[in-house]
Amino acid sequence: MGKTLVIGALGQIGSELLDALYELRGVDQVIASDIRFPSSPIKGTFEKLDIMDREALIALIHQHDIEEVYNLAAILSAKGEKNPLFAWELNMTGLINTLEAARTTSLSRIFWPSSIAVFGPNSPRDMTPQFCPMDPSTVYGISKLAGERWCEYYALKYGVDVRSLRYPGLISYKSLPGGGTTDYAVDIFHEAIKHAQYTVYLSADTSLPMMYMPDAINATLSLMEAPVEQIKLRSSYNLAGFSFSPSELVAEIQQHLPAFTCDYVPDFRQAIADSWPDSIDDARAREDWGWKPTFDLAKMTQDMLANLKVGTV
Ligand code: NAD
Ligand code: AKB
């Protein structure tokens, strides 16, 4: 097998996916790339790459005999609203460059993440199904929905083996999130440990679909390792972990840190959260390639606090 290239490898997902891929494929078989250099040394080979540069991407694929690409470079929902045209440009051009690279080289498999942001105010909010009305109201959601259509188009028209998941908000302790609406669910742990106080930018009862990073990495690798005949959706699979509101997360953290207090001061991210589902039906992922999450709110909270306390106190 050829090598694996991870684009956007220094972000919240990439930094954890890299370790899992080193384990699965071997450190020599994985090339990490990002538009910025790592702030500390990483185990394997690193190549600086701007995903907007299609020629540079294709040159890198030839240079390292790349067989599989994970393209994680994107602008997320909250940051995207600050500069919508740039978010559209990066999210779409980055995906098209990856799909074109697959069409024109010997690259055999692509992973590209979508998001629950593809849903909108007219999508059913509870147990949102795989197929339903989709009217995203953020530029990020619009780019993800358009991206899903491009993935299916390249799969059907050119036979590109592109695989995708609609990730919920991801919670992790190894690296910080990069500008999403669900970022509070990571920041709150750091602040609870450091200052015993946090102000959430959403209302107390805003429930959103979330997932702990080990489950997200497991889902990603399960999807990518599944035999091709099991991948029946080429747009993107719904994926669910568990759902909670800020007040439910605060109550769970208080089980471990009773002195922790929290305020709720909604900002522009409230409207984004209000347009998203509060739970997701991921039956197709379970049926097609055997997806099953392992973390719930209580188990995730315990693991986050245990790891952050070891790291920071
Ligand atoms: P992130 O912002 O933490 O990381 C993105 C990485 O891409 C960064 O390291 C950044 O330097 C890099 N990057 C930015 N512009 C680039 C460019 N032009 N060329 C190459 N690299 C560039 O994001 P993340 O949370 O790791 O998300 C990765 C993917 O997963 C994105 O597509 C995101 O939409 C999707 N996703 C994430 C979540 C989540 O909760 N983290 C949820 C749903 C979907
Ligand atoms: C965001 O909040 O933008 C991301 C996502 C759910 O896509 N975490």
Side-chain angles (χ1 to χ4, degrees), residues 10-299:
L10 304 180
Q12 189 194 5
I13 300 175
S15 50
E16 301 217 21
L17 182 65
L18 272 186
D19 283 337
L21 286 168
Y22 290 149
E23 181 94 353
L24 186 70
R25 304 246 180 275
V27 174
D28 295 347
Q29 292 302 107
V30 180
I31 312 294
S33 74
D34 206 290
I35 197 167
R36 57 191 163 104
F37 284 108
S39 53
S40 53
I42 61 165
K43 273 190 207 157
T45 303
F46 178 85
E47 295 277 6
K48 192 162 182 286
L49 173 75
D50 181 352
I51 188 58
M52 305 291 269
D53 186 344
R54 190 186 304 168
E55 280 179 18
L57 169 63
I58 290 175
L60 206 61
I61 288 169
H62 289 308
Q63 183 193 340
H64 288 285
D65 184 24
I66 302 293
E67 191 178 18
E68 175 185 67
V69 167
Y70 292 76
N71 174 12
L72 306 176
I75 303 287
L76 278 76
S77 60
K79 208 168 159 190
E81 293 307 292
K82 306 274 186 203
N83 194 347
L85 294 187
F86 179 67
W88 172 258
E89 183 77 13
L90 173 64
N91 294 1
M92 295 318 302
T93 308
L95 171 61
I96 297 286
N97 286 349
T98 314
L99 290 167
E100 272 296 288
R103 187 181 70 80
T104 58
T105 68
S106 58
L107 192 64
S108 65
R109 201 159 54 244
I110 298 177
F111 176 78
W112 173 81
S114 184
S115 160
I116 55 160
V118 293
F119 298 112
N122 287 297
S123 310
R125 290 212 61 176
D126 295 322
M127 291 301 278
T128 308
Q130 180 70 41
F131 299 106
C132 62
M134 293 160 99
D135 53 348
S137 51
T138 58
V139 68
Y140 174 68
I142 296 169
S143 73
K144 290 296 184 187
L145 184 53
E148 290 188 7
R149 297 289 88 227
W150 277 112
C151 288
E152 193 176 274
Y153 183 86
Y154 268 74
L156 296 178
K157 186 154 177 141
Y158 303 119
V160 169
D161 186 356
V162 53
R163 305 178 182 202
S164 178
L165 298 171
R166 291 174 181 155
Y167 289 132
L170 300 182
I171 301 163
S172 62
Y173 60 87
K174 288 187 187 162
S175 56
L176 290 168
T181 303
T182 59
D183 291 11
Y184 90 86
V186 177
D187 298 339
I188 195 171
F189 284 97
H190 293 267
E191 295 304 310
I193 290 171
K194 272 190 235 149
H195 301 119
Q197 203 285 326
Y198 184 64
T199 302
V200 189
Y201 50 76
L202 299 178
S203 67
D205 60 352
T206 305
S207 182
L208 287 169
M210 302 279 189
M211 178 174 285
Y212 198 33
M213 190 62 86
D215 273 342
I217 298 297
N218 182 25
T220 307
L221 295 180
S222 300
L223 177 78
M224 290 299 275
E225 294 296 298
V228 71
E229 63 276 9
Q230 288 182 9
I231 310 301
K232 298 186 180 133
L233 296 178
R234 292 299 183 165
S235 49
S236 191
Y237 278 94
N238 272 10
L239 190 74
F242 46 93
S243 296
F244 58 79
S245 64
S247 59
E248 286 166 334
L249 179 57
V250 168
E252 197 59 45
I253 293 173
Q254 284 168 338
Q255 301 274 329
H256 305 266
L257 303 171
F260 174 55
T261 60
C262 191
D263 299 319
Y264 305 92
V265 182
D267 67 12
F268 73 100
R269 290 167 279 195
Q270 183 67 48
I272 301 177
D274 286 342
S275 74
W276 288 355
D278 65 22
S279 59
I280 299 286
D281 177 357
D282 62 1
R284 289 298 302 267
R286 290 169 187 261
E287 280 160 24
D288 288 1
W289 44 275
W291 160 244
K292 199 164 177 275
T294 57
F295 281 89
D296 60 15
L297 175 59
K299 208 169 152 195

